Amino acid sequence: MIKSEKIWMNGELIDWNDAKIHIMSHVIHYGSSTFEGIRCYETPKGSAILFLDEHIRRLKDSSKIYRIEIPYSETELKDACIATIKANGHKACYIRPLVYRGPGALGVNPHLAAIEVAIATWEWGTYLGEDVLETGVDVRVSSWNRLAPNTMPSMAKAGGNYLNSQLIKMEALMDGYAEGLTLDVNGYVAEGSGENIFVIRDKVIYTPMVAQSILPGFTRGAVMHIAKELGYEVRETLISREALYIADEIFLTGTAAEITPVRSVDKYPIGEEKRGPITEAIQHEYLKIVHTGEDPYNWLTFI
Ligand code: PPE
């Protein structure tokens, strides 16, 4: 990871190396944090943040689920994201707003712990490896399931949820795959450790439903929108594991992963084992918006 100069912490921009928390912070012991991952792109019209309003709203929603009241308004948080990018002089970067329960109380009851907020930015290239936006990645179905409903809320992007993601990711990497795909508690396809999934067969595009314990991603939303604009039918539905093996195309979506084609699942080749034509068409539209700054849907905030 490439360090930046400044981190915004509780209202102030401070040096990266000084952005520290106490070991007795509640979050360290119990995973009590909520966070976001946002990308800022360099365009010929200036730097632009993708889905800034939506990400900050999701940060508020995730926090509400955990009864965390963020001591800043959405406008203050958005301004702080922009101030951090400017302080670090980035043209393009990844933005990580983080809300956590700090010091003041231990024990499971979190209510006496301070609520703290930090925003870091750094330069982050492709998420699942070099050139993968074109060549695609090899993935496996994880031996770990996604969170079961009514255990941990998956609509909250909370630190603790990513213990499940870490198990999935480590298992996949140790076995030589770029990513692991999870099934939900009923055995239907859910998502990757840090991405949503789309499956294409006979020109129809399928994606799991939000209630299947997935994070409702904004890249997922963007892809559904673009696909419909391009004239494709998109169905949010249950997808069985074996439907992956006989798909024409599969791709993963996320802020970090953008739109990454899948070339094999559990060593079953998918399509021609490279980016398929529908994936390419959708990816092209998405990357065109974020790289040219031509923004027909108002997804970008220029800074
Ligand atoms: N599911 C999960 C579990 C997830 O973490 C992400 C984002 C998504 C779906 C896609 O959501 P969206 O970014 O709104 O399209 N994963 C973020 C974290 C990656 C990380 O390693 O940290 C991301 O892509 O930024």
Side-chain angles (χ1 to χ4, degrees):
M1 163 186 234
I2 311 164
K3 273 197 210 172
S4 307
E5 276 189 33
K6 299 284 180 190
I7 288 183
W8 186 96
M9 216 170 163
N10 300 319
E12 273 176 81
L13 281 162
I14 61 174
D15 285 345
W16 177 283
N17 290 331
D18 294 335
K20 296 179 181 163
I21 63 168
H22 198 277
I23 192 68
M24 297 310 278
S25 295
H26 199 270
V27 60
I28 304 266
H29 302 247
Y30 306 111
S32 29
S33 67
T34 57
F35 68 102
E36 272 306 320
I38 315 173
R39 266 194 200 267
C40 174
Y41 287 93
E42 181 178 8
T43 84
K45 300 172 165 185
S47 295
I49 305 175
L50 182 61
F51 296 126
L52 179 61
D53 292 358
E54 290 82 353
H55 281 282
I56 296 300
R57 183 172 183 219
R58 189 168 69 188
L59 185 66
K60 283 271 181 187
D61 289 343
S62 302
S63 304
K64 182 176 183 188
I65 292 169
Y66 280 100
R67 305 183 193 280
I68 293 175
E69 213 166 301
I70 305 179
Y72 300 97
S73 67
E74 292 191 32
T75 307
E76 285 170 323
L77 292 169
K78 286 182 233 173
D79 289 349
C81 289
I82 294 169
T84 314
I85 295 170
K86 288 190 172 156
N88 285 322
H90 301 300
K91 290 201 165 69
C93 64
Y94 188 80
I95 311 164
R96 168 58 49 83
L98 177 65
V99 178
Y100 56 94
R101 294 200 190 262
L106 275 192
V108 170
N109 174 10
H111 274 123
L112 289 175
I115 289 162
E116 305 198 339
V117 184
I119 301 171
T121 63
W122 69 94
E123 285 168 26
W124 204 5
T126 48
Y127 184 58
L128 294 171
E130 288 298 313
D131 304 325
V132 299
L133 296 186
E134 206 173 319
T135 57
V137 289
D138 301 307
V139 305
R140 63 165 286 173
V141 173
S142 183
S143 69
W144 295 98
N145 277 30
R146 196 70 181 120
L147 308 166
N150 212 24
T151 59
M152 310 245 299
S154 65
M155 281 180 84
K157 192 171 168 71
N161 288 3
Y162 285 81
L163 287 171
N164 175 255
S165 292
Q166 287 175 55
L167 291 168
I168 296 157
K169 187 76 182 187
M170 289 188 290
E171 178 187 64
L173 294 178
M174 285 171 77
D175 287 350
Y177 298 92
E179 186 55 288
L181 302 178
T182 50
L183 307 180
D184 69 9
V185 72
N186 295 310
Y188 295 104
V189 176
E191 61 179 348
S193 77
E195 312 85 13
N196 293 119
I197 184 168
F198 288 82
V199 180
I200 304 171
R201 167 115 175 166
D202 292 339
K203 299 195 163 54
V204 178
I205 304 176
Y206 302 89
T207 197
M209 297 179 288
V210 171
Q212 285 178 265
S213 298
I214 63 168
L215 184 76
F218 301 121
T219 322
R220 173 183 183 274
V223 160
M224 289 168 68
H225 192 89
I226 290 170
K228 287 175 193 160
E229 290 280 305
L230 291 175
Y232 292 104
E233 184 187 344
V234 181
R235 289 192 206 155
E236 291 177 88
T237 183
L238 295 175
I239 299 170
S240 58
R241 175 174 182 163
E242 62 275 23
L244 298 172
Y245 303 150
I246 56 171
D248 298 330
E249 299 179 38
I250 297 176
F251 60 87
L252 304 175
T253 67
T255 301
E258 299 176 309
I259 296 173
T260 300
V262 170
R263 67 180 172 210
S264 73
V265 180
D266 293 340
K267 300 199 159 60
Y268 288 90
I270 304 302
E272 306 283 308
E273 286 185 273
K274 57 179 193 217
R275 180 176 60 191
I278 299 176
T279 306
E280 186 171 355
I282 295 169
Q283 192 194 52
H284 175 81
E285 287 305 307
Y286 180 84
L287 294 178
K288 189 171 82 185
I289 293 169
V290 298
H291 290 310
T292 65
E294 304 291 339
D295 178 22
Y297 313 121
N298 246 328
W299 290 343
L300 298 172
T301 300
F302 287 88
I303 62 174

